[in-house]
Amino acid sequence: MSNWIDLNQDAATGIESVRAHFVGHAYDPHWHDSVLVGVTEQGVQQFNCRRVRHQSTPGQVFMLEPGELHDGHAPTAEGFTYSMLYLDPHWLERELRAVFEQVPAQALPGFADTLSGDPVLAGATLRAFHALHDQELRIVRQTASDDLLAALTRHLHWRKRLHPDPRLPLTAQRARDYLHAHAHQDIGLEELAAACSTDRYRLTRAFKAAYGTAPHAYLIQLRLAQARQWLAQGQTPADVASRLGFADQSHLGRWFRRAYRLTPADYRRRCTKLPD
């Protein structure tokens, strides 16, 4: 069976629903600015995340926080199939604060574990996926989403908002903030290092230790995350490439395909139903 991707987006919440099948190499290391919750349906889904190699088998739920670097690979010949939801973190936090009677002040929701064999969570995830993906009645979609949130609460932990984070090198955090503020610009390592009052070699080592990837790769992921948002809003790939500082549309397309296995035009069409 060849690789395929079926993607839809719920207009009311912005939640993306993706069902996909991959054989062999699925996608390069990348991260999302969404919260990912999905279920492996068939095969073995192997991926590296949080510096650990995971293998998700049928019925297991995988949960990734925004910014968590991960890849994808099928270690067996039949490949793997999964159904997954991309949850907007602002929507999730707002909804969770309605579910929890008491939420710690200045706290963010996170996942204690990347993989879970909880059958209640797996069932709730699949029901929410189908309700959103198949564009059921609004009351059905809302009920399924509420059930998913209730199931997720058993796997959440709240962590304090820390900036800067004392667990990470200050140099790396300064570099990350600079990349976020200048993501559309043609940034050089010397410029980035100067903004952090260090040299390029110390900067790169600190950044890799903190975020698991080099500054240039992080910058590409920043641009791709923004590209997804703008494409989903209906902007053309050419305009998105220009606004984000890619050399041209094909340059954006090469990076986009490596991360998401879709072309920017195809992703835009699936989210907006607009023609290419």
Side-chain angles (χ1 to χ4, degrees):
M1 184 185 296
S2 60
N3 297 341
W4 51 263
I5 298 176
D6 183 16
L7 181 150
N8 210 339
Q9 187 178 57
D10 179 54
T13 61
I15 295 174
E16 287 183 17
S17 52
V18 176
R19 188 166 185 263
H21 178 85
F22 293 108
V23 175
H25 175 71
Y27 30 79
D28 290 348
H30 65 286
W31 51 263
H32 300 271
D33 56 1
S34 303
V35 175
L36 272 57
V37 180
V39 177
T40 302
E41 297 182 23
Q42 169 269 323
V44 179
Q45 180 179 1
Q46 181 173 291
F47 63 98
N48 294 286
C49 184
R50 300 185 182 182
R51 304 182 190 276
V52 175
R53 175 166 291 181
H54 304 275
Q55 289 196 336
S56 180
T57 53
Q60 285 192 297
V61 181
F62 51 94
M63 300 166 284
L64 282 76
E65 298 177 24
E68 288 197 318
L69 197 68
H70 62 284
D71 55 10
H73 178 73
T76 57
E78 67 269 22
F80 65 88
T81 308
Y82 65 78
S83 291
M84 179 167 58
L85 296 170
Y86 291 70
L87 309 176
D88 177 81
H90 300 294
W91 174 87
L92 179 62
E93 185 176 351
R94 184 180 67 249
E95 296 297 316
L96 285 172
R97 288 182 182 275
V99 172
F100 281 95
E101 292 184 1
Q102 292 183 334
V103 173
Q106 294 299 310
L108 289 169
F111 296 121
D113 300 300
T114 304
L115 276 181
S116 172
D118 181 358
V120 174
L121 178 59
T125 302
L126 286 174
R127 287 191 296 273
F129 172 86
H130 287 295
L132 292 162
H133 196 74
D134 300 336
Q135 299 180 321
E136 295 284 358
L137 294 172
R138 185 171 59 166
I139 194 170
V140 175
R141 301 197 308 270
Q142 291 175 338
T143 300
S145 298
D146 288 349
D147 290 346
L148 173 60
L149 291 173
L152 274 176
T153 58
R154 305 191 330 187
H155 299 270
L156 286 173
H157 67 108
W158 293 88
R159 65 177 185 272
K160 226 176 162 181
R161 296 180 194 265
L162 298 172
H163 191 78
D165 190 333
R167 299 168 299 180
L168 300 177
L170 186 57
T171 294
Q173 294 181 75
R174 286 174 175 167
R176 181 181 180 274
D177 290 345
Y178 191 90
L179 291 174
H180 277 262
H182 302 84
H184 63 289
Q185 298 176 7
D186 187 11
I187 303 169
L189 275 176
E190 292 86 355
E191 174 190 346
L192 186 59
C196 302
S197 302
T198 187
D199 63 68
R200 57 190 292 183
Y201 305 106
R202 288 186 176 88
L203 168 67
T204 299
R205 287 196 297 270
F207 201 94
K208 285 182 176 179
Y211 301 113
T213 189
H216 77 275
Y218 189 92
L219 176 61
I220 290 293
Q221 292 304 315
L222 264 183
R223 292 182 174 186
L224 291 177
Q226 183 62 71
R228 284 177 69 100
Q229 292 184 22
W230 286 342
L231 290 166
Q233 293 169 7
Q235 296 188 35
T236 67
D239 287 344
V240 169
S242 176
R243 290 183 64 184
L244 288 175
F246 286 98
D248 51 31
Q249 182 177 336
S250 63
H251 188 210
L252 166 64
R254 287 195 298 273
W255 283 107
F256 204 90
R257 286 193 300 273
R258 286 177 62 178
Y260 308 128
R261 298 302 292 266
L262 288 169
T263 68
D266 193 20
Y267 178 79
R268 173 179 179 264
R269 178 181 58 79
R270 290 170 187 248
C271 288
T272 65
K273 306 299 187 290
L274 293 169
D276 295 347

